[in-house]
Amino acid sequence: MNKRQFLKGSGSILTAAMLSRFVSASEQDTAHQTAPRTNWAGNLTFHTDTLYQPKTTEEVQHIVKSCDKLRALGRGHSFNTIADSTHAQISLKQLDSIDIDAKARTATVGAGVTYGKLAPIIDAQGFAVPNLASLPHVSVIGACATATHGSGSNNGNLATIVSGLELVTADGTLHTFSPAKDDDKFLGQVVNLGGLGVVTKTTLDLQPTFQVAQVVYENLSFSQLEKHLDEIFLSGYSVSLFTDWQNHQATQVWVKRRLEPGATSVQFAPEFFGAKRATQKLHPVAGHAAEPCTEQLGVPGPWYERLPHFKLNFTPSSGAEIQTEYFVPREHAYEAILAVEQLRDRITPHLFITELRTIAADNLWLSMAYQRPSLAIHFTWKPEWDAVQAILPLIEEKLAPFNPRPHWAKVFTLPPAKIQHQYPKMRNYQALLKHYDPQGKFRNQFLDTNIFSS
């Protein structure tokens, strides 16, 4: 989902796209910035002016071996300091190969590949991935490393289809990881938070391409969720509820349904648990132009042109925002929604929109949905950090009875001990990091604080 277009006109606008600030290193493999570098949203200024930009895996190995401290930087779409460094960062956006094995039904992609690049290429070969990230501009590897997700009660996060990794460890050695080779440890290597080393390639399991149609319903009362929450979120392949937390309702419900092979249409009722089907294309934020949104009104199209809310080829604008997201067990979803709703008059003035999504459970050690079918409560905030910083502890307190797990790449204020307590395999993950990175080359303040302190 192109959330920059999602927020267009809704808040402060930056004057330049964040990614344009990366410098190209032609003959050198490092560049020193004179202007501050920021993440995509502009809410974080990186703490180093050293950015390596290798063109080959061999260059990555050389850089890793020569650095004392290093953090991998994807496309800069994290909202916290998970990819930050006070020493040096490495960007792999020039490693953009895509190799499809039709017989094995896999795609092996370089670390610089985004979903926007991957999707049409595999679709042209008759393949698809089950789901997509909210933004097509994020890198596949960065999204998988942080357990980033789409929507759908039966869909796992994006990392659940990873079946292989190529990674450079602290001594510059190139390793390959797979379930067959690494057994249960592979479940800790996939969602790795950048702590094991620099991932150069990942292999994804593919499925046959498919068609999707979507419609939008307006004004669904939260009261319907008390008895029908699972039915509502299972009413489509992917279902999202949008709310501003006012009037005890979801202002819009986006329902996306897969077409059966050979089918040319799918049926949608005119009413959905009291919500009315929209008769014109809508933007999730009322009053905003719907042109950048993917096709609605039940018109079928390729999976990658329907699963995101916004068109894959729509260039991001330069809006400023802050994002927060918490995962709670789906069995407590309704109670968690009501708990947050109590803060509506504190939340709404600083909020662009909230999206409610469901995600299937998985067994990846550091996935927010680890062994828990989950509801994700996502907040896209206006760039008002002082106000947001004051609200987050209140939200986290309301969600405390439901053992929330914050998204690793978004802002939160939960104490490290509480976060670590939510992951039964946390000690195993800590041991994995110490094994592959005994000197802490890839550790930064984020990992030291949230993974190793308590």
Side-chain angles (χ1 to χ4, degrees):
M1 176 171 55
N2 188 328
K3 288 187 177 171
R4 288 187 177 277
Q5 287 298 328
F6 184 97
L7 301 176
K8 187 176 182 181
S10 299
S12 301
I13 301 297
L14 298 179
T15 57
M18 295 303 107
L19 295 181
S20 67
R21 297 189 181 184
F22 292 115
V23 213
S24 174
S26 52
E27 296 181 357
Q28 300 179 346
D29 56 14
T30 183
H32 294 276
Q33 300 286 114
T34 55
R37 292 186 299 111
T38 72
N39 66 341
W40 170 77
N43 70 300
L44 172 70
T45 299
F46 295 124
H47 290 88
T48 177
D49 63 355
T50 301
L51 178 68
Y52 294 95
Q53 298 188 91
K55 297 179 180 178
T56 66
T57 300
E58 291 74 22
E59 289 180 15
V60 175
Q61 293 179 268
H62 171 75
I63 292 166
V64 169
K65 191 172 183 180
S66 64
C67 286
D68 293 327
K69 300 283 284 187
L70 188 66
R71 283 296 284 174
L73 176 67
R75 289 302 177 111
H77 286 270
S78 297
F79 292 83
N80 60 28
T81 58
I82 190 169
D84 195 19
S85 174
T86 56
H87 296 79
Q89 292 172 308
I90 183 169
S91 168
L92 305 179
K93 65 178 181 177
Q94 297 187 76
L95 277 63
D96 59 356
S97 62
I98 298 176
D99 298 305
I100 299 172
D101 185 332
K103 184 176 180 181
R105 291 209 316 192
T106 62
T108 299
V109 303
V113 174
T114 65
Y115 285 98
K117 178 177 180 178
L118 174 68
I121 290 176
I122 62 174
D123 182 72
Q125 297 294 318
F127 296 109
V129 294
N131 221 335
L132 286 172
S134 294
L135 275 168
H137 309 83
V138 298
S139 68
V140 174
I141 286 177
C144 292
T146 53
T148 292
H149 60 96
S151 181
S153 294
N154 294 319
N155 297 325
N157 76 64
L158 302 180
T160 56
I161 64 167
V162 173
S163 58
L165 289 174
E166 180 185 274
L167 179 144
V168 178
T169 52
D171 62 358
T173 302
L174 187 67
H175 295 264
T176 56
F177 299 144
S178 69
K181 180 181 176 183
D182 295 277
D183 300 318
D184 287 347
K185 285 192 299 182
F186 189 72
L187 299 174
Q189 293 163 342
V190 176
V191 180
N192 56 65
L193 310 185
L196 297 181
V198 177
V199 178
T200 50
K201 290 182 181 178
T202 189
T203 299
L204 308 175
D205 291 331
L206 305 178
Q207 61 178 254
T209 187
F210 56 95
Q211 297 270 304
V212 175
Q214 70 174 330
V215 300
V216 177
Y217 294 92
E218 297 184 90
N219 303 323
L220 174 74
S221 171
F222 278 166
S223 298
Q224 294 287 349
L225 298 176
E226 182 177 9
K227 301 292 186 183
H228 304 291
L229 185 140
D230 284 337
E231 189 177 353
I232 286 169
F233 279 105
L234 283 166
S235 65
Y237 181 78
S238 169
V239 176
S240 293
L241 275 60
F242 291 96
T243 182
D244 60 5
W245 296 103
Q246 297 297 313
N247 303 314
H248 194 60
Q249 68 175 5
T251 53
Q252 293 181 18
V253 182
W254 290 46
V255 180
K256 306 168 192 280
R257 292 179 179 162
R258 284 182 65 151
L259 276 67
E260 294 295 328
T264 58
S265 65
V266 62
Q267 294 300 310
F268 293 93
E271 192 167 310
F272 181 81
F273 296 92
K276 305 297 183 182
R277 179 175 169 177
T279 57
Q280 61 181 354
K281 189 175 176 181
L282 295 175
H283 189 289
V285 179
H288 292 184
E291 191 273 332
C293 300
T294 49
E295 293 305 319
Q296 302 164 17
L297 306 177
V299 179
W303 55 278
Y304 68 94
E305 292 183 354
R306 295 295 184 274
L307 292 178
H309 299 321
F310 288 80
K311 296 173 182 175
L312 286 173
N313 61 351
F314 211 89
T315 303
S317 65
S318 303
E321 65 191 77
I322 302 170
Q323 291 186 14
T324 296
E325 188 170 44
Y326 302 97
F327 277 53
V328 297
R330 196 156 69 231
E331 62 189 278
H332 300 306
Y334 179 63
E335 294 87 347
I337 290 169
L338 293 185
V340 174
E341 188 185 27
Q342 295 174 24
L343 298 170
R344 59 187 176 275
D345 292 334
R346 292 289 304 270
I347 291 172
T348 304
H350 308 289
L351 183 74
F352 284 127
I353 201 70
T354 280
E355 183 177 6
L356 305 173
R357 292 177 282 181
T358 50
I359 300 94
D362 60 65
N363 288 313
L364 302 174
W365 293 356
L366 259 63
S367 165
M368 293 83 69
Y370 177 77
Q371 296 187 345
R372 289 193 335 195
S374 298
L375 172 80
I377 306 175
H378 181 278
F379 303 84
T380 301
W381 302 101
K382 298 173 184 178
E384 301 167 356
W385 174 236
D386 288 345
V388 172
Q389 191 174 26
I391 293 169
L392 294 185
L394 304 180
I395 295 173
E396 291 165 356
E397 182 180 1
K398 291 293 186 183
L399 292 177
F402 315 110
N403 298 314
R405 294 171 177 166
H407 192 298
W408 290 111
K410 299 177 183 181
V411 295
F412 53 85
T413 61
L414 278 172
K418 289 188 177 181
I419 296 173
Q420 293 167 24
H421 182 71
Q422 295 304 319
Y423 292 91
K425 290 286 190 177
M426 180 59 74
R427 290 193 180 276
N428 301 74
Y429 174 71
Q430 292 169 342
L432 203 63
L433 262 60
K434 291 176 180 177
H435 173 75
Y436 286 103
D437 185 20
Q439 304 302 317
K441 177 176 290 192
F442 302 110
R443 283 167 56 174
N444 63 354
Q445 185 178 18
F446 181 93
L447 290 186
D448 286 339
T449 299
N450 293 295
I451 302 300
F452 288 100
S453 69
S454 60

